[in-house]
Amino acid sequence: MKKVISVFIAIVILTVSVLSVRAAVLGDKGEKLTSDAPLNSWRYTNGVPNNAQSGNFFSAGANSSAWKETEDGFLNSKGEIIEGANMKGVDVSQWNGKINWAKVAETDVDYAIIRVGYGNNSTSQDDTQFKNNVKGCIENKIPFGVYIYSYATTKSMALSEAKHTLRLIKGYNLSFPVYFDLEDNCQTSLGASKLGTIAKTFCDEITKNGYQVGIYANLYWWNKYLTSSVFDNTSWYKWIAQYNCECEYDEPYTMWQCCSDGKVSGISGSTDLNFWYSSVRTASYRASVTSVVMNKQKAVIYRTDSCGTGTLKATVYNRSSKKGVKWSSSNTSIATVDSKGKIRAKKVGTCNIKATARDGSKKSAVCVLEVRRRMNSFRLNKGSLRFNKKNKKYSLSATYSPKSASVKSLTWISTNKKVAKVNSKGVLTTVGKGVCYICATSKDGSNRTEVCRVTINA
């Protein structure tokens, strides 16, 4: 009998313990919020990201150049330009661990979306790294927005999730929207109308407090569940998750989550990567450009009968709220430069080509450009020479066409130095019996060559 009582007491204690833990996980006062444990979705199992459990990450078949920024734009997993993408971002949570935001700031990442937590307004459901992540972004001048993982199935739960978000973001200057993350399995059976009501409840509370708002879901959810007309609200920012080389959502959207296996310096392991398609977001603390470096500090273009052209490139160091540089010429009558750094020579002369960062920092780089006129032709004063003695000297010279050619200098060589040699000024010296050729080549890059036949009879 004592054993039965002991077993019964043990079961009661175990049951109470389990309920206490579940209450701490589920929300205020241990209220059971759904029939499922929170954070069960295509990305989570019992609150833990699937990739954190198995080591398998969702990818779009990334290659070595995937998702990187180039001078022409951001590249997808096939190495193709992502049309319309203006900024690259990460979304992070406690599952990314403690992030070194100073290192992140040195990469091509432009912004961050930070998780505030999940579910009802309980401190037990705050993301444990939220404050650290916000602090890191502010200190390193990285604009950020936030998101909350929802498992709301009623309006009151959605309102509590809004209050949860507002409690944590109070006092912060967000540069990106507050996103409502809809993906939990407990919401799939609610129907389009109820999901719309839940989303509207959350979004209305957020916008009422002066913040922009958006909805996060994967492509399947957008096409299958989020079909209520409520989601057509043009003031809501749509964030689409599709791990693919491109986003195939047919309706307008402003952000695409392209993969969960991104690599970013400062973030251990892998992280979600995103691209922003709307106008570039700025903030009062946004990092300015530290320097602009041009690929050439001096350059020469030859102007012939047709205008000479060339292209300069400028690299902006540190992230800028406005991408790229503005090109200008100090003298457009000598040379012009277009928005892509392509130069067109107008006339002979010298001017400065300048690349200035567009972020207002006034950081710039300058290339001193010399426009020259290339020679069309030149002729040597002798086409052939004959000598009967060794150690005889003769000065060869040239006439140039046009006379206004910028470079009037030649490179001189002998085809046989045992017969005759020539110095850098065109002065030849006979050496021994035989025949050789003295070759003169223009130094202006046209590679025009004339020759003089030299015969030594001695």
Side-chain angles (χ1 to χ4, degrees):
M1 185 65 176
K2 288 182 180 180
K3 289 183 178 180
V4 173
I5 293 173
S6 298
V7 171
F8 177 75
I9 291 172
I11 293 173
V12 171
I13 292 172
L14 178 61
T15 302
V16 171
S17 299
V18 170
L19 289 176
S20 297
V21 170
R22 183 168 175 78
V25 171
L26 293 184
D28 296 333
K29 300 179 182 179
E31 178 188 5
K32 185 177 180 181
L33 301 177
T34 70
S35 58
D36 299 316
L39 280 72
N40 281 287
S41 71
W42 62 284
R43 293 195 302 161
Y44 290 88
T45 300
N46 293 328
V48 181
N50 294 328
N51 52 31
Q53 298 182 67
S54 65
N56 295 319
F57 295 87
F58 296 103
S59 174
N63 56 46
S64 59
S65 63
W67 320 124
K68 293 182 179 179
E69 184 177 19
T70 69
E71 292 178 349
D72 298 319
F74 296 103
L75 303 180
N76 66 12
S77 57
K78 292 183 177 180
E80 303 165 336
I81 297 297
I82 304 173
E83 297 296 335
N86 292 321
M87 301 178 77
K88 175 181 174 179
V90 293
D91 63 272
V92 296
S93 70
Q94 66 191 53
W95 298 106
N96 295 104
K98 191 169 184 179
I99 296 172
N100 185 335
W101 287 103
K103 286 187 176 181
V104 174
E106 295 173 352
T107 71
D108 59 357
V109 169
D110 296 306
Y111 68 95
I113 307 297
I114 302 169
R115 190 178 79 157
V116 298
Y118 60 93
N120 281 15
N121 187 16
S122 169
T123 56
S124 66
Q125 297 183 157
D126 294 351
D127 189 289
T128 58
Q129 286 296 319
F130 174 73
K131 291 182 179 179
N132 286 335
N133 286 332
V134 169
K135 182 174 181 287
C137 283
I138 293 175
E139 289 179 346
N140 292 281
K141 300 176 173 56
I142 301 173
F144 64 93
V146 301
Y147 78 96
I148 185 168
Y149 182 103
S150 171
Y151 52 81
T153 56
T154 65
K155 288 177 63 175
S156 61
M157 291 173 70
L159 184 60
S160 180
E161 291 179 346
K163 298 291 187 183
H164 186 178
T165 305
L166 292 168
R167 170 172 57 82
L168 288 170
I169 65 176
K170 184 178 180 180
Y172 293 124
N173 179 23
L174 273 59
S175 299
F176 284 80
V178 172
Y179 287 97
F180 194 43
D181 179 355
L182 293 173
E183 62 176 277
D184 199 83
N185 292 343
C186 70
Q187 297 167 326
T188 58
S189 61
L190 296 178
S193 178
K194 193 167 185 180
L195 275 171
T197 298
I198 289 170
K200 188 175 186 303
T201 300
F202 177 90
C203 291
D204 285 351
E205 186 65 18
I206 298 297
T207 55
K208 185 176 74 175
N209 282 270
Y211 296 95
Q212 292 181 324
V213 72
I215 304 293
Y216 167 92
N218 68 19
L219 180 65
Y220 181 78
W221 267 66
W222 279 108
N223 291 330
K224 175 76 173 178
Y225 302 120
L226 308 186
T227 56
S228 166
S229 60
V230 167
F231 294 100
D232 295 331
N233 189 328
T234 56
S235 68
W236 295 2
Y237 290 80
K238 289 185 178 182
W239 180 8
I240 316 298
Q242 184 186 10
Y243 299 157
N244 189 31
C245 62
E246 61 181 338
C247 181
E248 298 173 315
Y249 186 59
D250 292 332
E251 301 297 327
Y253 60 94
T254 52
M255 192 153 64
W256 169 38
Q257 186 183 76
C258 61
C259 71
S260 67
D261 62 348
K263 303 297 181 183
V264 175
S265 177
I267 302 179
S268 300
S270 298
T271 188
D272 299 340
L273 295 180
N274 303 274
F275 290 97
W276 178 257
Y277 289 82
S278 188
S279 57
V280 173
R281 289 297 175 105
T282 61
S284 59
Y285 50 78
R286 187 67 167 114
S288 61
V289 172
T290 57
S291 64
V292 177
V293 177
M294 210 175 294
N295 61 328
K296 294 180 180 180
Q297 284 72 54
K298 292 184 178 180
V300 173
I301 288 181
Y302 286 94
R303 191 195 186 289
T304 56
D305 292 335
S306 59
C307 289
T309 60
T311 301
L312 291 172
K313 294 182 179 180
T315 302
V316 174
Y317 284 89
N318 207 349
R319 298 160 301 106
S320 169
S321 57
K322 291 185 178 180
K323 295 292 182 183
V325 295
K326 181 179 180 180
W327 293 93
S328 62
S329 169
S330 64
N331 191 333
T332 55
S333 67
I334 293 175
T336 60
V337 60
D338 67 13
S339 61
K340 295 182 179 180
K342 185 175 182 179
I343 299 166
R344 184 172 293 276
K346 295 291 187 178
K347 69 177 184 181
V348 173
T350 301
C351 65
N352 293 335
I353 302 298
K354 189 175 184 179
T356 304
R358 291 184 177 274
D359 71 333
S361 65
K362 298 183 180 180
K363 298 291 184 180
S364 62
V366 173
C367 174
V368 178
L369 177 71
E370 182 184 355
V371 178
R372 296 176 178 175
R373 184 171 181 83
R374 198 188 301 276
M375 69 177 70
N376 294 331
S377 64
F378 71 93
R379 293 180 65 85
L380 297 179
N381 59 332
K382 293 290 184 179
S384 64
L385 290 168
R386 186 179 296 272
F387 299 92
N388 295 319
K389 294 182 179 181
K390 300 176 182 178
N391 298 318
K392 295 290 290 184
K393 294 183 183 296
Y394 187 87
S395 293
L396 289 169
S397 61
T399 56
Y400 304 92
S401 176
K403 293 181 180 180
S404 60
S406 299
V407 179
K408 297 178 182 178
S409 57
L410 305 170
T411 299
W412 299 87
I413 62 169
S414 170
T415 59
N416 191 337
K417 293 181 181 180
K418 292 182 178 180
V419 176
K421 56 186 179 180
V422 64
N423 67 14
S424 61
K425 295 182 178 180
V427 179
L428 70 84
T429 303
T430 60
V431 177
K433 187 176 181 178
V435 176
C436 71
Y437 292 88
I438 302 300
C439 303
T441 303
S442 61
K443 288 185 177 181
D444 66 351
S446 63
N447 294 320
R448 298 182 185 280
T449 300
E450 295 289 335
V451 299
C452 174
R453 178 187 169 97
V454 177
T455 304
I456 312 295
N457 294 324

